[in-house]
């Protein structure tokens, strides 16, 4: 055997280089036309496509029982919020003082409140206000926070500094105290003042998440390569940075949705959130709290519905976080 002979296996398992490249090229020339490369499986076998982050996340989500259960609960809540007549045929405003504070009866499984209104019907109709506030407030805070935080993280400079100081000011405002002061001046009985207040105090957290994600994404090699090839700021933001920086925002917004629903119920309980005649779980809990000993059913059912709703959104957010964060896999 010549002294210069080196086994092919030794070269193939080394660090690569020109020798390994030459061997690979020779093997490709030795293969018959149309033959599959080594390790590709039998002829005619489907070649698997590489999955993206979103396809991997969905693959993990639908196999997660926590996600499936929480998603089913949320879908059910959204359906009854849009069409409460599907499971509640009564009128949430109809009162019969002769039945005030009475317990469960045929056709009225949750009993009656202090004015003789059906608690079951009011619990079902109360989902509309809570879901509306949660979804609208989360959407508004996510859009505003993502826009401001993304632009600040991408361009930097004095705009980034100004946004950071402005966010610090909003972080220093106590949420409950700010809601009592701000909403006490509002006489509207709709959900929009509450939505506006939650957006006003909710966007700084999402803006910081969006800013950090954009700052991290714009330092990646593919962004630098796109910039070197002449891509403008708009193309960099929309095509390369935003799709890879939106995952943390989705996770935070999903968890915040449940928190916003709980915040609306808290403000309504204190008399500063939604106001009668709006049907709200917070309002019903506030009305029933003085009668917790004599008629506990008036408090337990709306409080239970609120707890299940908030828990479902928080569990959904946790499942989405576990699926979208590769470090947790």
């Amino acid at each position: 055997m010549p002294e210069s002979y080196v086994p092919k296996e030794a070269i193939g398992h080394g660090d690569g280089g020109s020798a390994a490249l030459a061997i690979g090229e020779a093997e490709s020339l030795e293969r018959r036309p149309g033959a599959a490369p080594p390790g590709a499986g039998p002829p005619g076998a489907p070649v698997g496509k590489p999955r993206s982050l979103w396809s991997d996340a969905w693959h993990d989500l639908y196999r997660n029982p926590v996600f499936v259960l929480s998603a089913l609960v949320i879908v059910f809540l959204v359906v009854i919020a849009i069409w409460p007549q599907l499971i509640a045929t009564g009128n949430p405003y109809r009162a019969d003082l002769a039945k005030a504070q009475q317990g469960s009866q045929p056709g009225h499984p949750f009993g009656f409140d202090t004015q003789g209104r059906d608690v079951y019907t009011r619990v079902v109709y109360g989902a509309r206000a809570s879901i509306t506030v949660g979804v609208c407030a989360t959407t508004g805070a996510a859009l505003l926070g993502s826009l401001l935080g993304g632009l600040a993280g991408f361009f930097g400079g004095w705009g980034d500094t100004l946004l950071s100081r402005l966010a610090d000011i909003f972080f220093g405002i106590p949420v409950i105290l700010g809601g009592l002061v701000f909403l006490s001046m509002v006489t509207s009985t709709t959900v929009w003042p509450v939505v506006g207040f939650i957006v006003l105090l909710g966007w700084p957290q999402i803006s910081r998440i969006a800013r950090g994600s954009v700052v991290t994404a714009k330092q990646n090699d593919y962004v630098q390569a796109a910039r070197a090839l002449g891509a403008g700021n708009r193309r960099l933001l929309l095509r390369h940075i935003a799709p890879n920086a939106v995952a943390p925002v989705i996770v935070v917004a999903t968890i915040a949705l449940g928190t916003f629903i709980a915040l609306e119920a808290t403000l309504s309980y204190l008399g500063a959130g939604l106001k009668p005649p709006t049907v709200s779980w917070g309002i019903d809990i506030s009305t029933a709290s003085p009668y917790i000993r004599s008629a506990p059913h008036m408090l337990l059912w709306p409080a239970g519905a609120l707890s299940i709703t908030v828990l479902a959104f928080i569990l959904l957010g946790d499942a989405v976080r576990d699926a979208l964060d590769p470090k947790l896999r």
Side-chain angles (χ1 to χ4, degrees):
M1 180 181 297
E3 296 181 358
S4 61
Y5 175 78
V6 179
K8 182 177 67 174
E9 291 79 4
I11 300 177
H13 290 80
D15 293 332
S18 59
L21 180 61
I23 290 177
E25 190 70 21
E27 288 179 345
S28 64
L29 293 175
E30 291 175 358
R31 287 198 304 267
R32 295 188 305 272
V47 179
K49 294 178 58 179
R51 294 187 301 189
S52 64
L53 172 65
W54 300 103
S55 60
D56 280 341
W58 174 245
H59 181 265
D60 293 339
L61 283 175
Y62 76 78
R63 298 175 61 184
N64 188 347
V66 175
F67 170 79
V68 174
L69 180 60
S70 59
L72 290 176
V73 173
I74 291 173
V75 170
F76 172 74
L77 291 170
V78 171
V79 170
I80 67 172
I82 300 175
W83 300 289
Q85 301 87 356
L86 294 177
I87 62 173
T89 58
N91 188 341
Y93 303 104
R94 183 179 180 180
D96 186 358
L97 292 177
K99 298 180 179 180
Q101 301 185 29
Q102 292 185 9
S104 177
Q105 298 180 4
H108 307 280
F110 294 175
F112 300 89
D113 63 3
T114 55
Q115 300 183 28
R117 298 172 299 190
D118 184 31
V119 175
Y120 170 77
T121 303
R122 292 187 64 83
V123 168
V124 173
Y125 276 80
R128 172 176 295 177
S130 296
I131 296 297
T132 301
V133 170
V135 171
C136 294
T138 302
T139 303
L143 291 177
L144 181 60
S146 299
L147 178 63
L148 296 179
L151 292 178
F154 182 77
F155 292 103
W158 64 267
D160 187 14
T161 304
L162 178 63
L163 179 70
S164 299
R165 302 292 78 81
L166 183 63
D168 291 338
I169 294 175
F170 280 96
F171 275 123
I173 300 177
V175 177
I176 302 300
L177 180 59
L180 292 174
V181 174
F182 178 79
L183 295 175
S184 62
M185 301 180 295
V186 178
T187 59
S188 175
T189 59
T190 63
V191 302
W192 303 116
V194 180
V195 171
F197 168 75
I198 296 177
V199 171
L200 186 64
L201 292 187
W203 70 267
Q205 179 185 12
I206 297 180
S207 71
R208 287 196 169 182
I209 299 297
R211 176 190 175 278
S213 299
V214 170
V215 169
T216 302
K218 76 175 184 179
Q219 297 174 355
N220 292 327
D221 293 338
Y222 60 85
V223 176
Q224 302 302 326
R227 189 188 299 274
L229 291 173
N233 291 334
R234 180 179 179 182
R235 182 177 178 83
L236 288 175
L237 271 172
L238 299 180
R239 184 71 180 269
H240 300 286
I241 295 180
N244 295 282
V246 73
V249 175
I250 294 177
V251 172
V252 173
T254 306
I255 298 177
L257 202 156
T259 306
F260 291 161
I261 292 177
L263 177 60
E264 176 272 319
T266 303
L267 294 174
S268 298
Y269 176 84
L270 296 174
L274 301 180
K275 300 174 178 61
T278 303
V279 182
S280 168
W281 291 332
I283 295 175
D284 288 351
I285 293 173
S286 177
T287 303
S289 58
Y291 308 95
I292 181 61
R293 295 191 178 185
S294 60
H297 64 275
M298 297 192 309
L299 175 64
L300 295 179
W301 290 114
L306 175 64
S307 301
I308 292 174
T309 302
V310 174
L311 180 62
F313 279 105
I314 292 178
L315 291 178
L316 182 73
D318 288 340
V320 172
R321 179 197 59 193
D322 295 342
L324 291 179
D325 192 349
K327 298 179 182 179
L328 299 177
R329 294 179 183 175

